[in-house]
Amino acid sequence: MTAYAELMEFQRQTEALASIAGRLGWDQETMMPRGAADQRGEEMAAIEGILHERRTDARLGEWLAKAVATDAVSAANLRHIRQKYERNIKVPAKLAAEIARVTSVAQGVWAGARGAEDVAAFLPTLENVVRLRREEGAALANGNDVYDALLNDYEPGTKSGDLAAMFGALRPRLVALRAAIRAAEAPAPMTQSFDEAGQLALSQKLALAFGYDLNRGRIDKAVHPFSSGSGSDVRITTRTNPVDPFNCFYSTIHEVGHAAYEQGIDPTYALTPLGQGVSMGVHESQSRIYENQLGRSRAFTGWLFGQMRDQFGDFGIKDEEAFYRVVNRVSDGFIRTEADEVQYNLHVLIRFDLEQALMRGDLAVADLEAAWNDRFAADFGFAVDKPSHGVLQDVHWSVGLFGYFPTYSVGNVYAGCLHQSLRAALPGIDDDLARGDTSRATGWLRENVQRHGGLYEPREIITRAAGQAPTEGPLLDYLEAKFKGLYGL
Ligand code: ZN
């Protein structure tokens, strides 16, 4: 057996175990009896321990030294395994264990502090998490930038300086667009109530319309929508809110975007390093283009309007045009996860700037809330009213996710680039969408992005698909054209 074959056999078992760990996580959010939490914690810790040993196993270094790539696929496999292995052995085992221990407790502390609107109750814990992740970043960075080292875990090959330039161009045009919309007249929100069974039925129809394969997936309810798994077992969750059916429908379409990426990967890559989405940003580009550029388009919402009338009868919206305006309604809000297309990235950019400052030691944890509130008021024009609407709203920092937030906006920027070339490649696509037929659009994404899995680096896959290096321009042009039209600006 060659070193490469031995390495890949070992890796395949690691991938299979990681897949099992992922499914335990899915189970915990959907099916697990409440009384099983402690036992599940122990089960998860056991499997994570095995995974950690395998990922830092010295034999990986020996195989990597001897293995020879013979084609693009084996070269990409070696690149992924090498990058992860070199990363994992840089972090001292004691530090890795300490991070796991502290972050598993921190999430509960954060939830308690958020419930009590008590920032001070969370700060000592956050101090600890920040200190540990800075230490880890320093171990990974080898004298280079600590934040870039952390960002690399979620968006490999991307530098925070490039993101800062891109987001720096995004922010003023989004602030201006938002201010103009705020001064214009907004459509009234829907006031009717929509039964859960009807929402779930239509949600499944939407999943199928976007090409989700239920033979290799399933849809369940969970508190927070997510997608999980890869290859032939990719599951999604959704949720319902009686007065906001769009929450259910667009969460479903979003998660189907993530799932379609995983289901669309070349099946020969399953249980190899190429068998998953290549980065958080590229993943989010798929969920966002499904949800927004396709799902919230005038053409597709026209079809959805008819579907809602069939499901719920007259629900107080008179025609497709009025429905399109309601679906794309822009309203003031504090919460990132509830934000519309115009405001979403402004929420992310706050977090990106603040977490860089925290990781580089330019901002003390004690000053975080004030910095958040100042920045929010500057971009949104009104003040944060309570911590759960501000600095305590997201779970990410409590579980040590620093470098993750920007990938949401990277995904939106990538979606803008992909959408521009998708439309150029598929004239008349709105006629399809108006019939609820996304197959040509999703087929284009599968062909140009999804099927490649981890074969190319994140920026490379977008560059190949979009025909040029990614920039913020197409997203901004799309948002300005769409919302100036909607609001008569
Ligand atoms: Zn997502």
Side-chain angles (χ1 to χ4, degrees), residues 17 19 56 117 131 135 150 226 255 257 269 276 284 327 329 403 408:
L17 289 166
S19 176
T56 51
E117 301 290 354
R131 178 180 53 79
E135 220 174 289
L150 299 174
F226 64 92
E255 299 310 330
Y269 298 162
Q276 299 116 45
E284 196 69 4
V327 168
R329 187 169 178 273
Y408 292 122

Side-chain angles (χ1 to χ4, degrees), residues 254-255 258 283-284 287-288 408:
H254 180 99
E255 299 310 330
H258 285 301
H283 238 297
E284 196 69 4
S287 58
R288 284 296 180 176
Y408 292 122

Side-chain angles (χ1 to χ4, degrees), residues 186-192 243 246 315-317 325-327 329 331:
M190 292 196 301
T191 51
Q192 216 150 311
V243 295
F246 298 143
F315 56 99
I317 306 290
R325 288 170 56 80
V326 170
V327 168
R329 187 169 178 273
S331 57

Side-chain angles (χ1 to χ4, degrees), residues 20-351:
I20 291 168
R23 207 156 303 123
L24 282 178
W26 168 86
D27 179 74
Q28 194 167 333
E29 303 295 324
T30 52
M31 301 289 170
M32 186 185 82
R34 206 179 307 171
D38 287 349
Q39 182 178 318
R40 177 58 51 89
E42 204 174 323
E43 291 165 4
M44 294 281 276
I47 196 161
E48 287 301 336
I50 292 168
L51 281 168
H52 182 76
E53 273 171 34
R54 294 183 70 91
R55 286 168 175 157
T56 51
D57 192 307
R59 284 174 294 170
L60 285 171
E62 293 159 22
W63 285 320
L64 281 165
K66 289 188 213 141
V68 183
T70 51
D71 57 12
V73 168
S74 51
N77 275 324
L78 288 174
R79 172 166 54 81
H80 282 284
I81 298 171
R82 182 169 286 119
Q83 281 170 355
K84 295 236 166 62
Y85 176 65
E86 286 174 355
R87 182 223 182 274
N88 291 335
I89 58 172
K90 274 184 199 158
V91 181
K94 210 176 139 209
L95 177 60
E98 179 72 354
I99 289 173
R101 191 187 64 76
V102 168
T103 53
S104 74
V105 179
Q107 187 174 350
V109 178
W110 161 78
R114 188 179 65 157
E117 301 290 354
D118 185 357
V119 177
F122 179 51
L123 290 186
T125 303
L126 183 61
E127 293 261 14
N128 257 334
V129 177
V130 166
R131 178 180 53 79
L132 290 167
R133 285 288 274 160
R134 288 184 70 193
E135 220 174 289
E136 186 186 25
L140 295 170
N142 263 344
N144 294 314
D145 184 64
V146 169
Y147 186 78
D148 277 350
L150 299 174
L151 175 64
N152 200 55
D153 279 349
Y154 313 108
E155 207 57 33
T158 298
K159 295 269 179 273
S160 58
D162 295 337
L163 293 187
M166 195 162 80
F167 295 162
L170 210 53
R171 185 178 168 203
R173 277 170 71 180
L174 291 178
V175 169
L177 179 60
R178 186 189 168 277
I181 290 170
R182 239 181 134 215
E185 200 192 330
M190 292 196 301
T191 51
Q192 216 150 311
S193 185
F194 298 81
D195 68 277
E196 177 167 82
Q199 289 193 39
L200 292 175
L202 186 45
S203 151
Q204 171 150 336
K205 207 166 188 182
L206 285 165
L208 295 172
F210 276 93
Y212 184 53
D213 179 358
L214 277 168
N215 186 44
R216 296 184 293 147
R218 51 179 292 132
I219 308 174
D220 295 278
K221 280 199 336 174
V223 178
H224 301 287
F226 64 92
S227 84
S228 150
S230 59
S232 60
D233 191 346
V234 187
R235 307 177 186 196
I236 64 168
T237 64
T238 192
R239 63 179 167 195
T240 60
N241 174 341
V243 295
D244 184 8
F246 298 143
N247 189 314
C248 173
F249 300 155
Y250 285 97
S251 295
T252 299
I253 297 173
H254 180 99
E255 299 310 330
V256 163
H258 285 301
Y261 185 11
E262 296 292 338
Q263 289 187 331
I265 296 172
D266 184 331
T268 64
Y269 298 162
L271 296 179
T272 77
L274 308 193
Q276 299 116 45
V278 73
S279 74
M280 303 308 300
V282 176
H283 238 297
E284 196 69 4
S285 77
Q286 301 305 289
S287 58
R288 284 296 180 176
I289 197 170
Y290 279 52
E291 176 191 353
N292 290 332
Q293 280 90 349
L294 301 175
R296 287 191 169 94
S297 64
R298 172 65 184 83
F300 188 80
T301 57
W303 178 78
L304 180 57
F305 177 67
Q307 296 297 310
M308 283 188 67
R309 291 268 271 225
D310 290 350
Q311 187 69 52
F312 303 108
D314 180 357
F315 56 99
I317 306 290
K318 67 178 189 328
D319 58 22
E320 290 181 10
E321 200 55 48
F323 183 73
Y324 175 51
R325 288 170 56 80
V326 170
V327 168
N328 288 288
R329 187 169 178 273
V330 176
S331 57
D332 282 348
F334 299 102
I335 304 295
R336 175 185 61 84
T337 56
E338 295 168 3
D340 51 75
E341 283 182 88
V342 174
Q343 302 182 81
Y344 188 86
N345 293 299
L346 290 174
H347 289 279
V348 173
L349 301 194
I350 294 177
R351 292 150 177 80

